[in-house]
Amino acid sequence: MYVCICKGITDKQIKQMVIEQGVGSIRELKQQLDIASQCGTCVKLTQQIIDTTIVDESLFKDVG
């Protein structure tokens, strides 16, 4: 799903950056992707995706 319509950034791209690059905030994500740089509508959803991905990954690692 597209999260940032202005830049065409998807939730999959955001999740990938969190998992592979260790991104933990929008500020860090902006260094990798040009997200939230125009209208800003995507900021809340982007932060939710980052937070959810971090929680999901940490819970998954504890199970294994």
Side-chain angles (χ1 to χ4, degrees):
M1 140 181 92
Y2 283 99
V3 176
C4 181
I5 302 299
C6 298
K7 299 293 182 172
I9 298 172
T10 66
D11 61 329
K12 290 180 182 180
Q13 289 174 288
I14 297 168
K15 289 176 186 178
Q16 182 179 7
M17 295 305 294
V18 172
I19 293 167
E20 294 178 6
Q21 303 294 324
V23 169
S25 69
I26 292 177
R27 181 176 288 173
E28 292 175 3
L29 186 62
K30 287 175 96 170
Q31 294 174 357
Q32 306 289 328
L33 299 173
D34 192 25
I35 197 162
S37 62
Q38 283 191 321
C39 76
T41 304
C42 60
V43 171
K44 286 185 180 181
L45 182 55
T46 300
Q47 189 62 58
Q48 286 178 338
I49 293 169
I50 291 170
D51 293 344
T52 303
T53 304
I54 290 170
V55 169
D56 289 348
E57 285 298 306
S58 64
L59 290 174
F60 181 72
K61 288 178 183 177
D62 289 343
V63 173

